[in-house]
Amino acid sequence: MTNDPLKSALNVMEGVDTPGQINTELVRKLRTRKKKQLSVAEYLDGIYSGNRTVLSRAITLVESSLPGDQELAQEVIAACMAGRKGDGPTDKRHLSATGHRVSDISHPVTSIRVGITGVPGVGKSTFIEALGTLLTSRGHKLAVLAIDPSSTRSKGSILGDKTRMEDLSVDPNAFIRPSPSAGSLGGVARKTRETIILCETAGFDVIFVETVGVGQSETTVHGMVDFFLLLMLAGAGDELQGIKRGIIEMADAIVINKADGDNLNKAKAAKNEYAHALHLFPPSESGWIPVVDICSARTKMGLEPVWKTIMDHHETTHRHGYFQRHRREQNLQVFYETIEEGLKHHFLSGKDIAQPLEKIEQEIRAGLRNPYLAAHELLQKFFNGK
Ligand code: GDP
C-alpha cells in the first residue's frame, strides 16, 4: 500500500474545468430577445399565404393585453375582415385612408363554425380528432380552438396538451390552438372571435370551437358559431351530465357518444328519449329542427352522418337567409361587447379607480361596505372627477 496520495486509488484527479457557458450574457440576451414585431402588411401577407408561424404570432398578438399590441391586433383584424374579396393584402385599391377597406364587411361566408360542447369525459377531444381527421382527409382545412375561461394554466387549457389530439396535431391541414389563458369570459370570447377571423383568413374553412369550461362558456360559444353540437352520454341523467335545459335548447344537434360495445343499445334508447323531449321545445328561429344521433368517436361509427347533419343545416340556413342574418346578429353582439369591455377596461385602469380598488374589494368581502354605494362612488369619481 502506498502512502503517496497521488498513487492511491482514492485520489480523485481534478478534472479539466468545465468551461463556463459561452458568453452567458449573449445567451441571456438571445433568450430574452423579443422577436421583431411584424408590420400589419407582414402579418397579412403571412396569414393570407397560410404561414402557420405568422398565424400563431398574430393570435398571440390578439391575446396580448399590451396596449401597443392591441392596437396592432385591431388593425390586422380589420384588414382581415375587409380584405377577403380583394386581390390580397397588397391590393390598395379598395382601402381607406387608414389602410382598411371600409365598404365590405361580409367576411367570410365560406367557412363553417361549429361549437362543440359536453361535460368533461364525454369524448370531445376524441370526437374532434376523429371527425377532424375525416374532414382533413377530404381536403378541408380545420382549425380547433377552445374556450376555457377557468383555466389558470399559463398556456391555456388541456387542449394545449397536444397529445390529446395526436393525429390532428401533426396534420398539415389542421391547426390546434389552446384556449387563451385565464381572463374574463368576455375577454376570452373576444380573443377567440378574433382568432376565428385570423384562421379563416389563413384559409381554414372549418372551425371547431370547443368549450372546455362548463357553465357560461356554452352560451358564449353559441354566440360565435353557426352550428352548436352537444355531445352527451347515454345512461346518465341530464343533471349528472351537468347539462342545463337551456343548453339543450341551444343545440342544433345532440349526439350521444360512446355508442359502442355494451353501450350501443343504451345509446339508441337515449336517442329516442332526447328526440321525444326535443319535440316539446318550440321551434328555433332558424326553422331548423334539431337532430339527435348516436356515434362512437372511438370506432368512428356515426361520424359521417354528423357531418352530413352539419352540412344540411348549412344548406338550409343559407337558403333561408338565416345564416347571414345570424352572423350579422352576432356582429351586433360583438359591437356591444367590445364597447362594454373597452369602457370597463378604461374605467378600471384609471389611476384614481385602480388604486383604491383592492381595499374596496376587501371591505366588500368583509361585509364592511355597501357594494351599491361603493360602485356608485367610483362611477361618480370617474364621471365627475370627484
Ligand atoms: P373530453 O374530456 O370530453 O375531451 O373526453 P375525451 O375525448 O378525453 O374522452 C374521455 C374518455 O372517453 C377517454 O378515455 C376516451 O378514450 C373515451 N372515449 C371517447 N370517445 C369514446 C367512444 O366513442 N367510445 C368509448 N368507448 N370511449 C370513448
Side-chain angles (χ1 to χ4, degrees), residues 116-129 158-159 164-165 210-212 231 233 256-261 263 295-301 303:
I116 297 173
T117 194
V119 290
V122 71
K124 291 182 295 299
S125 49
T126 315
F127 176 86
I128 291 171
E129 165 99 335
I158 15 179
L159 251 187
R164 244 179 120 222
M165 296 176 195
E210 178 190 3
T211 48
V212 180
L231 279 181
L233 293 174
I256 297 142
N257 189 33
K258 306 199 186 181
D260 46 46
N263 225 5
C295 83
S296 166
R298 184 171 282 174
T299 67
K300 302 186 173 39
M301 182 281 292
L303 296 179

Side-chain angles (χ1 to χ4, degrees), residues 39-64:
S39 67
V40 175
E42 282 168 331
Y43 272 116
L44 288 183
D45 282 335
I47 295 167
Y48 270 90
S49 60
N51 181 326
R52 300 164 77 102
T53 312
V54 177
L55 174 63
S56 294
R57 284 186 66 179
I59 297 173
T60 306
L61 185 74
V62 156
E63 290 172 355
S64 163

Side-chain angles (χ1 to χ4, degrees), residues 157-219:
S157 74
I158 15 179
L159 251 187
D161 174 9
K162 295 244 169 155
T163 55
R164 244 179 120 222
M165 296 176 195
E166 269 173 20
D167 292 337
L168 276 185
S169 61
V170 293
D171 188 329
N173 284 324
F175 180 80
I176 303 180
R177 180 76 182 193
S179 175
S181 49
S184 69
L185 184 55
V188 170
R190 181 181 53 72
K191 291 167 191 173
T192 307
R193 278 203 176 97
E194 291 174 351
T195 302
I196 291 176
I197 291 165
L198 294 174
C199 290
E200 287 172 346
T201 308
F204 291 92
D205 62 326
V206 182
I207 313 285
F208 285 171
V209 185
E210 178 190 3
T211 48
V212 180
V214 267
Q216 261 307 97
S217 49
E218 287 92 350
T219 318

Side-chain angles (χ1 to χ4, degrees), residues 224-264:
M224 61 177 79
V225 296
D226 310 311
F227 189 95
F228 193 67
L229 191 151
L230 174 61
L231 279 181
M232 300 281 271
L233 293 174
D238 294 354
E239 264 64 51
L240 261 183
Q241 298 195 37
I243 299 292
K244 299 199 180 70
R245 186 192 147 102
I247 291 163
I248 294 186
E249 268 177 294
M250 288 191 296
D252 294 303
I254 294 180
V255 179
I256 297 142
N257 189 33
K258 306 199 186 181
D260 46 46
D262 294 344
N263 225 5
L264 180 59

